[in-house]
Structures are given as structure tokens and as C-alpha cells.
Amino acid sequence: EIVLTQSPGTLSLSPGERATLSCRASQSVSRSYLCWYQQKPGQAPRLLIYGASSRATGIPDRFSGSGSGTDFTLTISRLEPADFAVYYCQQYGSSPLTFGGGTKVEIK
Amino acid sequence: QLQLQESGPGLVKPSETLSLTCTVSGGSISSSAYYWGWIRQPPGKGLEWIGNIYYGGTTYYNPSLKSRVTISVDTSNNQFSLKLSSVTAADTAVYYCARDSGANTVPGYVQPPYFFDYWGQGTLVTVSS
């Protein structure tokens, strides 16, 4: 199975700053079938990005995804207070689906 | 607006079978465009995919759990269910049901599962005697 490693584990930033989150796969993710979720405490994950770079319905354009092969990035251009949360990547290029360990974006 | 709601016991004894049901409202589970999945999250930890099902009954399981998992669908009640046998403390987690909508975004020859765009609120299941 594909192992996804997210870095950093925690990102401490201020509102208005740019956040760059990394997701590295143990082997190439077929067709860039990688997605990103946001999870806040006590809530279910929320789909942000699929297919490495396509925004899900209703997701603001400050969220963008990029990458291919084994290296993927989620960028939040200007952090808003609602964006402080944990972010997970997930690959669906091969079964079983696997998730990364998460990156926590916290207020500095 | 599509909604999913998990239900079932919050406490299960070791070696017994965990049983949960997901009720879908605001949409039909029999839509050909979607699959339906279960994902779990141990307290304070990351996410683990358990398995998916199609309304016709085809299932896809995580190999790490396959020997203990059964997912079934009840189209007449717009529900799908999870059974996990021989549970231990390691199965303590928040269990989520979710809709897999990725089939709309990939070529037809790409097999599921894909990704999840609607999730239930989750239900905590504790395994303890």
C-alpha cells in the first residue's frame, strides 16, 4: 500500500499568512489521484481538493493543490481564522485508500 | 441537502461484533453515480479507510481489516451497514460513514474506491469490558 507522509506535523502561522503543506507518497500516485481534507475538532473531515488540484464544491479559491508523482502540496494563500485546523491528504490511485498522518495549522 | 447519520451501540465488549448503520437522507443510496464508505479515526489519531459498497452490493475492503469486516446495503431503507467482528481495544474509534463521489471524476476503467464528499457526524465506539 502507498504510505503518505505529511510535513510539517504542525505549522504555526498568523491570519493573513500563506500556508504550504506537503504530502509525500512512498510510491507514485497513479494519475495524481490525491485529495485533501480539512478537519476541525469534533467534526468530520471536509473535502477540499481532489485530483491533486481540483477544488471541491463550495471551497474558496484561497485553497489550491498541486503536485504529481510522489510530491503534492496544499497551499492556503491567506489564512483566515476558520482555516486553523488539521489537514489530511489521501490517495486513491491504488487500493487500499490511504491517508497521511495530518498537518495541524495552528495560530501563532 | 444530503445527510448521513451513523447509529449503533457506543460500547462493545472485546471479542464481540461491532455493528453500525448509516442512514442516508436527502438523496438516494441507489444512485449509480456513488459508492458508500466507512472510515474510522482512533481518538487523537489519523483516518483509516475500512471499506466501500455500491448499491448493487459490490464491496471493497481494506485488506488489513478484510477478514473481520462485512458491509451491506439496504436500498429499501436507504441505509448501509458495517459489521466488524472479534473487536479489541484497538478498534476503539470514531466511525464515519461517507459518500464516495469520485466515480464522476475518473475514467470508467478506474476502479473504486475514490474520495468522500459527504460525511456523517461520526459515532464513537469504545471497546471495553
Side-chain angles (χ1 to χ4, degrees):
Chain A
E1 71 178 45
I2 294 178
V3 176
L4 299 178
T5 302
Q6 292 187 241
S7 62
T10 302
L11 199 50
S12 299
L13 294 168
S14 300
E17 289 194 296
R18 181 184 188 90
T20 303
L21 287 67
S22 172
C23 177
R24 179 161 291 177
S26 60
Q27 55 189 278
S28 184
V29 176
S30 177
R31 303 178 186 88
S32 297
Y33 283 162
L34 186 119
C35 61
W36 292 90
Y37 299 92
Q38 175 195 70
Q39 187 179 35
K40 297 180 181 179
Q43 296 185 17
R46 173 195 182 196
L47 179 68
L48 300 174
I49 301 285
Y50 64 91
S53 60
S54 297
R55 271 186 299 275
T57 303
I59 301 304
D61 61 6
R62 66 179 182 275
F63 291 92
S64 63
S66 63
S68 63
T70 60
D71 290 300
F72 297 86
T73 299
L74 175 70
T75 301
I76 311 170
S77 59
R78 294 174 308 280
L79 282 165
E80 295 195 0
D83 300 337
F84 291 92
V86 179
Y87 293 83
Y88 293 96
C89 57
Q90 176 229 305
Q91 66 81 25
Y92 53 104
S94 64
S95 193
L97 299 185
T98 50
F99 292 86
T103 290
K104 181 179 182 180
V105 179
E106 65 175 22
I107 299 176
K108 186 174 181 180
Chain B
Q1 175 78 343
L2 189 76
Q3 293 187 322
L4 296 89
Q5 179 69 57
E6 305 89 352
S7 59
L11 180 64
V12 181
K13 290 182 168 55
S15 79
E16 295 190 343
T17 296
L18 177 160
S19 296
L20 295 174
T21 296
C22 181
T23 301
V24 178
S25 58
S28 174
I29 203 170
S30 299
S31 170
S32 60
Y34 306 113
Y35 293 77
W36 305 90
W38 289 97
I39 304 97
R40 70 179 183 178
Q41 185 172 36
K45 297 188 177 180
L47 299 158
E48 180 181 32
W49 172 67
I50 300 171
N52 274 27
I53 192 165
Y54 192 56
Y55 79 95
T58 304
T59 53
Y60 307 83
Y61 296 138
N62 190 326
S64 68
L65 296 168
K66 186 174 183 178
S67 63
R68 298 193 293 131
V69 172
T70 302
I71 297 176
S72 59
V73 65
D74 178 357
T75 55
S76 61
N77 287 307
N78 230 31
Q79 296 176 328
F80 62 107
S81 298
L82 168 70
K83 290 188 186 300
L84 180 66
S85 64
S86 305
V87 297
T88 69
D91 295 310
T92 294
V94 175
Y95 285 76
Y96 295 101
C97 60
R99 186 182 81 172
D100 182 336
S101 66
N104 300 318
T105 69
V106 303
Y109 57 82
V110 177
Q111 290 294 302
Y114 312 111
F115 55 82
F116 305 98
D117 62 343
Y118 279 91
W119 296 63
Q121 65 185 24
T123 187
L124 174 63
V125 179
T126 301
V127 179
S128 175
S129 55

